[in-house]
Amino acid sequence: FQPKVLAGRRVLLTAGPTSETIDPVRVLTNRSSGRMGYALARAAAEAGAEVTLVSGPTALPCPDGVERIGVRSAADMHAAVMARTAGTDLFIAVAAVADWGIANPSSLKLKKQPGGQPPRLDFIQNPDILAEVAALPDGPWCLGFAAETDRLAEHAQAKRTRKGIPAIVGNLAQDAMDAEDTELVIFDDEGAHPLARQPKLQAARQLVAWIAGRLPRH
Ligand code: C5P
């Protein structure tokens, strides 16, 4: 039984990878199963929230009671999120968003030329969705994620400050990727709050309870 700690709240999440088009059959993407974001969407819905999940391509079923908006590129994800922030109490950015999009995607499949040069890709910087939502006047309370390979506390806290958000959840990328279990640490301006290593859904329920205690009153 989950107490309805988010009853009457609207929650918006991003999850999964993004996919940047190179040509009609090739993409540039990040390694993310979407499991943590989907677990959080499910936990938020169980806690009574009205949940919208903006998801990049994943193989996961949409959790019960969650509205899913499917997107591909970071630019699409950005547009889908920015169109839905009004009236949102809580924004949780779990997606592994591509930092760079392809500036010169080809409308035709790129062909290998015998003895020829490989294609050149030009990159453009994608918008930082979380930083933009965090900067909105009267915007939602924001939680970010930081998957790091080393110096977790230092990198996660730096990211939290840079994005202007009250809390960020850190984990070690090599541990979390493709895994059932996760070991999370919440960082806020009081420091580190480690959670036990546990299945992602259980961790998601703990996170939801922790957040609910920090949301401003209606
Ligand atoms: O340092 P990085 O930008 O990767 O921080 C990760 C956090 O920011 C995650 O919560 C991720 O979902 C979010 N993010 C975003 N838009 C981006 C890049 C990251 O919302 N373009």
Side-chain angles (χ1 to χ4, degrees), residues 14 93-99 126-130 144-146 159 162-163:
T14 64
V94 200
V97 184
D99 288 319
N126 281 328
D128 190 318
I129 304 166
L130 175 55
F145 270 73
K159 214 165 261 194
R162 189 156 18 92
K163 301 209 184 225

Side-chain angles (χ1 to χ4, degrees), residues 138-170:
D138 302 317
W141 197 90
C142 291
L143 180 74
F145 270 73
E148 305 293 341
T149 54
D150 61 300
R151 297 193 292 176
L152 183 60
E154 191 184 322
H155 287 138
Q157 286 287 30
K159 214 165 261 194
R160 188 175 73 81
T161 313
R162 189 156 18 92
K163 301 209 184 225
I165 53 176
I168 195 160
V169 177

